[in-house]
Amino acid sequence: MDVRTGVLGCGLRVGIADHAHRPGEGSRIVAVSDPDPARAAAAAQRYDGDVRVTHSLDELLDGELDAVFVVSPDHLHEEHAIRCLEAGIAVYLEKPLAITTEGCDRVLAAAERTGGKLYVGHNMRHMPVIRTMRDLITSGAIGEVKSVWCRHFVGHGGDYYFKDWHADRSKSTGLLLQKGAHDIDVLHWLAGGYSRRVNALGALTVYGEITDRNEHEVYKTGHDWAEYQQNWPPLSQTGLNPVVDVEDLNLVNLQLDNGVLASYQQCHYTPDYWRNYTVIGTEGRLENFGDGEGAVVKVWNRRHRGYAPEADRVVEVERASGGHGGADPRIVAEFLEFVSAGVPTVTSPIAAREAVATGCAATESLRNGGAPVEVAAPEAALLDYFEKSSRS
């Protein structure tokens, strides 16, 4: 019998649910919901069969659902996830888990209280480049990890994040959380620990100077590469969100509970768009070159005099089809196995909460002159509840 699945929010990430529409093969999309009738109708057209179209969460919950993809804007994640969990529906919640640490804990507590199934969409744990680095680390290729660095070049930040609600801190907290939650989770995963102390610097260095703004907030529903090519250099951008009060340049230092030291750097106006990770261990280091098709991970674990471009080992990253290097279909398949058979997952609601808590603490630090901020751990009861559903 197919898992009857709904979609809540029909904006930019609605396509993730496409991988769950497999009528007769275990799951199907049976309902979609969005307050915008045009967006809801367009989403319903993505799926064959009888798809119920609704415009509120109340209407969506009136139908018989086994699971729901919550892909609404970030500031609604907390409310929407809790309502669905309380209705007895398994939840795929797009990252971030919430936009505050307290909000995350309320969602986790709702899952624990109801015995509900909660899955958070940190799809980068399924990206081939990340899995390659993780496998090398766990195989002992560089010894014991001591430091992890990430440079995040967000080349289209002005197009993706400064023309809609992402640019408004009341709806995102900030891009260090909203965009950085993925990378913070990966830093934690590669390092084998969670941040407990952070300090950060950040500023609105480019997009705050642009005065060409939309009169009203716009919800973006797709990417137009032809348009993006025209928006260079960054100061030539037009039509920004009415409110722009988040940072476009962020630098963070992190101290993890296992002694690993990490750093995360994020810039939203680089000419290229990719992530570069460096992991340093007691017996070498590794680094990815590219994070999509054609990417490789290089490993150095012999002594070298000066620059060694060829490395001691070069591992080609698997090529896979589907969004985010094949991560999107994999993460949806994992969610559906979790819903239908309780199979433990690589993703972790606790890890998702730790990524948000770290991003919130770092944002607090940068908005207070870089003062160090402690990151509080989740309650023991929540750790106990989610431990059984994660194999990370």
Side-chain angles (χ1 to χ4, degrees), residues 258-321:
N258 59 358
V260 171
L261 299 180
S263 68
Y264 174 56
Q265 303 171 21
Q266 178 195 83
C267 181
H268 283 266
Y269 47 86
T270 57
D272 48 349
Y273 194 171
W274 66 296
R275 296 167 165 96
N276 170 255
Y277 292 91
T278 296
V279 186
I280 302 173
T282 54
E283 299 175 19
R285 76 175 179 94
L286 60 80
E287 183 176 352
N288 69 297
F289 290 80
D291 58 8
E293 186 172 344
V296 298
V297 177
K298 295 186 177 183
V299 182
W300 292 264
N301 42 33
R302 294 188 302 112
R303 297 299 293 272
H304 292 271
R305 183 174 181 178
Y307 180 52
E310 299 305 317
D312 300 309
R313 180 180 177 187
V314 179
V315 181
E316 293 187 2
V317 172
E318 171 197 5
R319 296 186 180 186
S321 60

Side-chain angles (χ1 to χ4, degrees), residues 9 37-38 90 119 152 157 189 200 202 224 282 309 323 340 362 392:
Y119 186 98
H152 191 182
W189 200 42
D224 185 345
T282 54
S340 60
S392 59

Side-chain angles (χ1 to χ4, degrees), residues 51-209:
V51 177
R52 190 165 56 95
V53 178
T54 71
H55 305 300
S56 71
L57 179 55
D58 288 336
E59 292 178 276
L60 184 68
L61 296 180
D62 279 345
E64 293 185 352
L65 294 178
D66 303 309
V68 63
F69 284 85
V70 177
V71 286
S72 49
D74 292 4
H75 66 287
L76 300 175
H77 285 187
E78 177 186 344
E79 174 193 352
H80 288 172
I82 290 173
R83 289 280 308 280
C84 292
L85 288 165
E86 290 177 339
I89 300 171
V91 174
Y92 177 106
L93 181 59
E94 182 61 17
K95 71 85 202 162
L97 177 55
I99 64 169
T100 65
T101 305
E102 296 78 10
C104 289
D105 289 342
R106 285 189 286 268
V107 175
L108 297 181
E112 191 265 344
R113 182 178 66 253
T114 62
K117 290 184 175 179
L118 173 66
Y119 186 98
V120 186
H122 276 281
N123 57 3
M124 284 188 66
R125 290 193 177 209
H126 287 276
M127 284 179 63
V129 66
I130 302 301
R131 298 306 297 266
T132 299
M133 290 189 286
R134 167 78 172 181
D135 290 345
L136 285 166
I137 290 167
T138 57
S139 72
I142 58 170
E144 183 182 354
V145 173
K146 292 297 182 182
S147 190
V148 187
W149 310 338
C150 175
R151 297 182 299 163
H152 191 182
F153 308 105
V154 192
H156 310 314
D159 302 287
Y160 288 1
Y161 304 113
F162 285 84
K163 293 187 175 181
D164 67 4
W165 57 266
H166 294 84
D168 183 345
R169 67 175 63 178
S170 71
K171 296 181 178 178
S172 66
T173 294
L175 294 172
L176 184 52
L177 165 62
Q178 199 287 331
K179 186 62 175 167
H182 271 317
D183 296 280
I184 294 169
D185 179 59
V186 170
L187 287 169
H188 287 165
W189 200 42
L190 297 181
Y194 294 125
S195 297
R196 286 294 166 257
R197 183 178 175 86
V198 301
N199 78 294
L201 296 174
L204 181 58
T205 58
V206 169
Y207 296 116
E209 300 179 30

